[in-house]
Amino acid sequence: MFEKLFKLSQHNTNVKQEVIAGFTTFLTMAYIIFVNPSMLAMTGMDQGAVFVATCLAAAIGCLIMGLYANYPIALAPGMGLNAFFTFTVVMELGYSWNVALGGVFISGVIFTALSAFKVREWIINSIPHALRFGIAAGIGLFLALIALKSAGIIVASDATLVTLGSVTDFEPLMAILGLFLIVGLISLNINGAVMISILVITVLGLVFGSVEYAGIVTMPPSLAPTFMELDVAGALEVGMLSVIFAFLFVDLFDTSGTLIAVAQRGKLLDKDGNLPRLKKALFADSGATIAGSLLGTSTTTSYVESTAGVSAGGRTGLTAVTVAVLFLLALFFSPLASMVPAYATAGPLFFVGVLMVAGLVNVQWDDLMDAVPVTVIVVTMPLTFSIADGIAFGFISYAAVRVFSGRFSEISPAVWFLSALFIAKFAFA
């Protein structure tokens, strides 16, 4: 059965190797079952229901990717997109989480349509590489700021906007320890470093009385508080246009980059450097996003942590199916997830930010035409606390510096259109 479904021998692998790869991938990304519910709960969503939605959306995405696309790539609600959902769409713009879920649903439907009609390739090819790297890095700095804020390391200040908090308090110290623990474990090539860090810091919180014991294993919480509670009609108003755009394009860039990175690591690209069955892989991503919005979680996307499983020998969809099974088993560990304090997830958030900022090395810093818009993005995104505004300022500045330099030919039709759209948004907001 496995041979027929996944063509194991054709990919020079076996069931044992694929299952081990699946365990490896799961360990590297399981932190999302702790981080995502605690972050989305800030919007007023039921944390237990979001925990269930997170596990189910991840399992659905992995099953589609494994059984339909036959790739060893795992999916789950994406970091950065969940922060945008919480801090920008709900907390800053004032939309309800129901409307925000409606925006996620619409972006998933559009993603599916773009993939089906091959518009995705045109969009990706039309967006300059500098902006892609800048957007990823800006989201990374945004996550790092959220991590520092949630740990109490950075606090508000009337005089200087932000300032250093009391770093000798228990919570900031635990957040700092969590980050250092992740780095140390990864340097020792220990799988699951992020999840281990979360568990260790949570245990220390229990020991020092900062966390109240709630148990380890139980039946999954009810999904009812978030299931089918999205407001699609509310998400169709004009003000949500830039929000849907941000959901769509961040997912589009993230998914495309992840698929190529994982495929390169696993030598899954064809002789022309293309990814076979790309449309099926993209459908897994968009389908999981649509399902996740119906269940009650932010955008689901492909995880670059899948490279860990590929490095362990994963070559087929059986790896992704193994991850799906493990996410379903995780449903029974909701008490553990509910005990994880914000400072235990601060270190992992900061670490993910570090990984995303690393892409700045690919920017041509000696070319002001690229350096200026990238800097605009990475500065404005965290300081405005808005991924959407950071993307908007990036596109506008990319076009503006070229207009004032007379380099009109370097501005693609897509950049012209999007820049004009963003200018109109700010002008008539």
Side-chain angles (χ1 to χ4, degrees):
M1 180 183 69
F2 289 130
E3 177 62 36
K4 184 178 180 181
L5 278 174
F6 305 109
K7 299 178 174 59
L8 300 177
S9 58
Q10 180 180 321
H11 291 87
N12 194 29
T13 185
N14 55 61
V15 173
K16 179 182 178 181
Q17 184 171 303
E18 294 292 303
V19 171
I20 291 174
F23 269 91
T24 303
T25 295
F26 178 77
L27 287 174
T28 62
M29 62 183 293
Y31 64 86
I32 194 64
I33 65 177
F34 304 118
V35 178
N36 199 55
S38 63
M39 186 175 292
L40 266 58
M42 298 180 194
T43 68
M45 299 178 75
D46 182 86
Q47 186 165 342
V50 176
F51 169 80
V52 175
T54 299
C55 294
L56 290 179
I60 290 170
C62 291
L63 286 172
I64 298 174
M65 183 67 78
L67 297 173
Y68 181 59
N70 196 23
Y71 279 121
I73 299 171
L75 299 90
M79 294 298 299
L81 286 160
N82 53 6
F84 175 61
F85 182 103
T86 299
F87 295 102
T88 299
V89 183
V90 177
M91 298 178 70
E92 180 190 342
L93 298 179
Y95 291 104
S96 68
W97 59 263
N98 312 77
V99 171
L101 284 178
V104 172
F105 175 83
I106 294 171
S107 72
V109 172
I110 296 174
F111 195 166
T112 302
L114 293 179
S115 301
F117 294 103
K118 296 185 177 181
V119 181
R120 183 202 69 89
E121 286 81 356
W122 176 79
I123 293 175
I124 290 295
N125 293 332
S126 299
I127 305 304
H129 284 83
L131 290 181
R132 293 188 227 173
F133 294 132
I135 290 170
I139 293 172
L141 289 175
F142 183 45
L143 290 177
L145 180 61
I146 291 171
L148 295 173
K149 177 179 178 292
S150 66
I153 297 173
I154 287 180
V155 295
S157 168
D158 292 334
T160 60
L161 190 63
V162 292
T163 190
L164 186 67
S166 181
V167 294
T168 57
D169 288 350
F170 180 77
E171 294 187 5
L173 284 176
M174 288 297 99
I176 294 169
L177 176 61
L179 174 62
F180 293 161
L181 185 57
I182 292 170
V183 176
L185 291 171
I186 288 177
S187 68
L188 296 172
N189 295 316
I190 296 176
N191 289 323
V194 175
M195 189 171 71
I196 292 171
S197 170
I198 291 174
L199 295 176
V200 168
I201 299 303
T202 300
V203 169
L204 289 174
L206 284 167
V207 171
F208 288 96
S210 176
V211 174
E212 197 169 316
Y213 182 74
I216 302 295
V217 179
T218 188
M219 292 299 293
S222 172
L223 185 63
T226 60
F227 181 64
M228 296 296 291
E229 290 296 321
L230 69 168
D231 182 357
V232 177
L236 290 173
E237 68 172 71
V238 176
M240 279 290 290
L241 181 63
S242 63
V243 170
I244 294 171
F245 168 84
F247 278 137
L248 172 64
F249 273 72
V250 173
D251 190 21
L252 195 61
F253 299 149
D254 193 26
T255 299
S256 300
T258 296
L259 290 174
I260 296 301
V262 176
Q264 285 178 334
R265 178 69 65 89
K267 298 180 179 179
L268 302 173
L269 300 176
D270 62 22
K271 57 183 177 62
D272 297 319
N274 298 318
L275 186 66
R277 308 184 304 283
L278 174 61
K279 186 180 290 188
K280 291 184 177 182
L282 292 172
F283 178 75
D285 195 289
S286 59
T289 290
I290 293 171
S293 67
L294 298 174
L295 293 167
T297 186
S298 53
T299 305
T300 302
T301 188
S302 302
Y303 264 58
V304 75
E305 284 87 347
S306 300
T307 53
V310 170
S311 298
R315 293 294 182 273
T316 74
L318 182 54
T319 294
V321 171
T322 301
V323 177
V325 172
L326 292 172
F327 268 114
L328 293 176
L329 291 175
L331 285 168
F332 298 95
F333 291 86
S334 60
L336 178 60
S338 68
M339 284 191 295
V340 175
Y343 58 79
T345 60
L349 273 177
F350 194 94
F351 176 71
V352 172
V354 171
L355 297 180
M356 298 182 76
V357 170
L360 289 177
V361 71
N362 298 304
V363 176
Q364 299 298 319
W365 290 106
D366 56 348
D367 184 355
L368 287 176
M369 298 298 104
D370 285 350
V372 169
V374 168
T375 302
V376 167
I377 292 173
V378 299
V379 171
T380 57
M381 198 173 286
L383 294 184
T384 61
F385 233 63
S386 171
I387 291 174
D389 287 343
I391 292 173
F393 285 125
F395 274 90
I396 293 170
S397 61
Y398 183 91
V401 294
R402 281 162 173 76
V403 167
F404 281 92
S405 302
R407 292 163 62 170
F408 297 92
S409 62
E410 297 180 10
I411 308 174
S412 68
V415 174
W416 277 118
F417 172 74
L418 293 171
S419 298
L421 190 66
F422 288 133
I423 290 172
K425 170 187 175 294
F426 289 123
F428 299 107

